[in-house]
């Protein structure tokens, strides 16, 4: 009798432990910010409403879009009139349906970002901080002097959202650094007016600004740069769609994102493992009971 009770108790403890683990796992999924799809804007490095101007050997790794203005508002690139040194490693869309759709999709993302509940209010400068996944907000401006570290805590799908009431400004040589398996694809800057990245800044994340975005001399950004109503200005700057995204024009080969196990698949696997263990425990209890009856 003692053996049967002990084995049954083990089974109950396993079930209780498994149920608690499932609840904790589900809760951990729920507290993290969820990523925001960019739709057709995902393949664009730069989208602007009024103009895209460039000085120096800038490179955009991704498509370039302008809407509603046309190609005459794009200057400083190899295809411009007159031509300039800037390059686009992707397609260009000016005042066409593709650019308009991408801009509208980005606007949906902007509004979604603005509607996310704030987890922590930012006061003071972002420099010197290490932040974990979540939604960070400021009713007015945000500034960055030095280095901001984003710690994904080993979660490749970790999401960081910054809601900026008015302007975002970085000092010269500022840096946004991602650590512990995160992707710059999952960093979003929702900006109420304009963004200005200081000389030599190394920035990360998708910049969605209501007005304009200025990348000063020697800046780089791993993420899209979108100025809905104003201009995007580059000066010997590099813009890439972001780490972990699909390279424009690529299929399922080297440029594609690596698939990961979904939340539901992970939970299903956990339940199957728990069920198998429970069956094994019950089988042991039955064998023990049969041995005592002999």
């Amino acid at each position: 009798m003692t053996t049967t009770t002990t084995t049954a108790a083990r089974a109950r403890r396993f079930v209780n432990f498994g149920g608690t683990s499932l609840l904790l796992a589900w809760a951990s999924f729920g507290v993290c910010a969820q990523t925001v799809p960019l739709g057709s804007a995902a393949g664009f490095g730069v989208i602007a409403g009024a103009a895209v101007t460039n000085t120096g050997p800038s490179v955009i790794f991704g498509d370039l879009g302008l809407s509603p203005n046309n190609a005459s508002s794009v200057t400083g690139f190899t295809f411009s009139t007159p031509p300039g040194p800037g390059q686009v490693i992707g397609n260009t869309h000016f005042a066409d349906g593709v650019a308009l759709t991408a801009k509208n999709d980005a606007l949906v993302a902007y509004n979604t970002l603005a509607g996310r509940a704030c987890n922590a209010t930012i006061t003071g400068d972002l420099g010197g901080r290490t932040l974990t996944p979540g939604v960070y907000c400021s009713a007015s401006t945000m500034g960055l002097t030095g280095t901001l570290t984003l710690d994904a805590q080993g979660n490749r799908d970790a999401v960081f959202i910054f809601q900026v009431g008015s302007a975002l400004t970085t000092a010269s040589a500022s840096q946004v650094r991602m650590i512990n398996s995160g992707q710059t694809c999952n960093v979003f800057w929702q900006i109420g007016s304009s963004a200005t990245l200081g000389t030599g800044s190394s920035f990360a994340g998708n910049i969605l600004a209501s007005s304009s975005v200025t990348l000063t001399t020697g800046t780089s950004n791993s993420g899209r740069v979108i100025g809905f109503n104003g201009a995007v200005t580059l000066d010997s700057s590099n813009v890439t769609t972001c780490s972990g995204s699909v390279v424009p024009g690529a299929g399922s080969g080297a440029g594609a994102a690596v698939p990961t196990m979904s939340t539901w698949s992970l939970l299903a696997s956990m339940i199957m493992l728990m069920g198998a263990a429970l069956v094994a425990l019950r089988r042991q209890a039955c064998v023990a009971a049969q041995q005592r009856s002999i």
Side-chain angles (χ1 to χ4, degrees):
M1 188 69 175
T2 303
T3 306
T4 304
T5 303
T6 302
T7 306
R10 288 176 182 169
R12 285 195 298 272
R13 283 197 299 270
F14 179 83
V15 172
N16 291 335
F17 174 77
T20 302
S21 298
L22 280 174
L23 289 174
L24 289 174
W26 182 256
S28 69
F29 287 126
V31 298
C32 294
Q34 300 298 306
T35 193
V36 177
L38 292 169
S40 62
F44 283 76
V46 171
I47 299 174
V52 180
T53 62
N54 172 64
T55 302
S58 298
V59 181
I60 298 174
F61 294 92
D63 295 345
L64 170 62
L66 180 65
S67 179
N69 286 1
N70 58 30
S72 64
S73 298
V74 180
T75 60
F77 291 89
T78 54
F79 51 80
S80 304
T81 303
Q87 299 183 59
V88 176
I89 312 302
N91 300 314
T92 57
H93 297 278
F94 307 134
D96 63 8
V98 175
L100 178 60
T101 300
K103 185 180 174 184
N104 287 340
D105 286 350
L107 183 59
V108 171
Y110 178 92
N111 291 328
T112 300
L113 292 165
R116 290 291 172 88
C118 180
N119 298 137
T121 300
I122 296 295
T123 57
D125 196 87
L126 288 167
R129 303 189 191 213
T130 297
L131 301 179
T132 54
V135 181
Y136 300 89
C137 59
S138 171
S140 56
T141 62
M142 277 192 192
L144 172 60
T145 302
T147 300
L148 168 64
T149 301
L150 304 179
D151 185 356
Q153 300 181 318
N155 180 7
R156 188 175 184 273
D157 298 321
V159 177
F160 300 81
I161 295 173
F162 296 87
Q163 300 169 338
V164 186
S166 55
L168 170 70
T169 305
T170 74
S172 297
S174 295
Q175 180 182 15
V176 176
R177 188 168 66 103
M178 177 70 75
I179 63 173
N180 292 330
S181 304
Q183 301 181 82
T184 58
C185 293
N186 291 330
V187 180
F188 298 89
W189 301 83
Q190 180 263 322
I191 302 167
S193 59
S194 298
T196 302
L197 306 187
T199 302
S201 291
S202 179
F203 204 72
N206 302 293
I207 301 173
L208 289 80
S210 176
S211 185
S212 61
V213 184
T214 300
L215 278 64
T216 57
T217 307
T219 60
S220 64
N221 184 53
S222 179
R224 293 91 177 174
V225 175
I226 301 173
F228 289 101
N229 299 305
V232 171
T233 303
L234 309 176
D235 184 351
S236 304
S237 308
N238 289 334
V239 176
T240 59
T241 50
C242 67
S243 66
S245 64
V246 177
V247 175
S252 58
V258 178
T260 59
M261 180 177 285
S262 69
T263 298
W264 289 112
S265 297
L266 181 60
L267 290 173
S269 298
M270 291 171 62
I271 292 171
M272 290 175 64
L273 289 172
M274 288 172 57
L278 183 58
V279 169
L281 287 174
R282 292 188 62 184
R283 184 174 300 165
Q284 290 177 4
C286 291
V287 170
Q290 289 172 359
Q291 289 175 344
R292 286 194 307 276
S293 65
I294 295 175

